[in-house]
Amino acid sequence: MTSTAPVLARTKKIALIAHDHRKRDLVEWARFNRGTLAKHKLFATGTTGRVLEEELGLTVERLMSGPIGGDQQIGAMIAEGAIDFLIFFWDPLEAQPHDPDVKALLRLAVVWNIPAACNRSTADYMISSPLMDADYERQVPDYQGYLKRPIPAAEVPPRPEPPPAGGGKNS
């Protein structure tokens, strides 16, 4: 599969998400990295965005709350190229009613090869990378071949013959 190389500009579009039991962790991390985050465009799901705006005093474009569509909104933005970077502190010990959305979001981050951190250590490594403040050519698979692949025709059973006019044998 060939690939394309869209350029991530110096100003990154960063999605910030945290499950309820991980919000404190994300806020502490974001407070520590406020100076770096201030150089970028920030997006977040509902409650996380509100908390980050209050704590950091930065503008955060808020989407819906994760369980009611926010995770899917972020996923769509990743697929459209509108998110460059994902910080998602999810709770591995708590079942979520929207677990399929969480899995889909993480899958899209991999499909579109965007940097993604699911814990504080990885987020620290990513945000402190020299690539954070530079243009970066991200390798993305070219999915045109996949989209243009031949699809075998579905086998449709033949239609049954309609009954003869007049109701059948004895008419």
Side-chain angles (χ1 to χ4, degrees):
M1 181 178 288
T2 61
S3 64
T4 61
V7 175
L8 302 184
R10 290 175 191 265
T11 301
K12 308 290 187 284
K13 296 166 284 187
I14 303 172
L16 300 159
I17 306 171
H19 286 156
D20 288 346
H21 290 107
R22 301 294 312 280
K23 283 187 187 353
R24 178 183 301 154
D25 228 10
L26 181 64
V27 168
E28 289 172 4
W29 177 86
R31 198 179 296 132
F32 182 80
N33 291 291
R34 185 191 183 286
T36 301
L37 291 172
K39 300 174 192 174
H40 303 281
K41 184 158 177 54
L42 307 178
F43 299 83
T45 52
T47 310
T48 302
R50 181 179 50 79
V51 170
L52 288 169
E53 280 185 331
E54 291 169 0
E55 291 289 327
L56 303 177
L58 298 175
T59 300
V60 177
E61 185 172 324
R62 289 189 282 170
L63 305 169
M64 292 178 156
S65 176
I68 61 169
D71 293 342
Q72 290 188 348
Q73 286 179 301
I74 296 284
M77 293 174 76
I78 290 169
E80 294 167 350
I83 295 291
D84 301 322
F85 202 93
L86 175 64
I87 305 293
F88 186 2
F89 287 12
W90 58 277
D91 188 345
L93 301 178
E94 188 84 20
Q96 302 294 324
H98 62 300
D99 273 340
D101 299 343
V102 171
K103 183 177 181 182
L105 173 60
L106 296 172
R107 181 184 162 280
L108 286 170
V110 172
V111 165
W112 294 104
N113 193 30
I114 69 162
C118 295
N119 59 51
R120 194 168 181 157
S121 296
T122 307
D124 285 341
Y125 272 88
M126 284 173 36
I127 203 160
S128 63
S129 167
L131 299 173
M132 192 66 194
D133 293 321
D135 289 347
Y136 175 73
E137 286 190 19
R138 174 173 56 101
Q139 296 298 308
V140 176
D142 181 357
Y143 292 110
Q144 289 307 309
Y146 174 79
L147 295 173
K148 294 177 181 174
R149 75 195 184 286
I151 305 292
E155 290 191 31
V156 180
R159 283 187 170 187
E161 292 293 323
K169 299 179 187 177
N170 299 334
S171 39

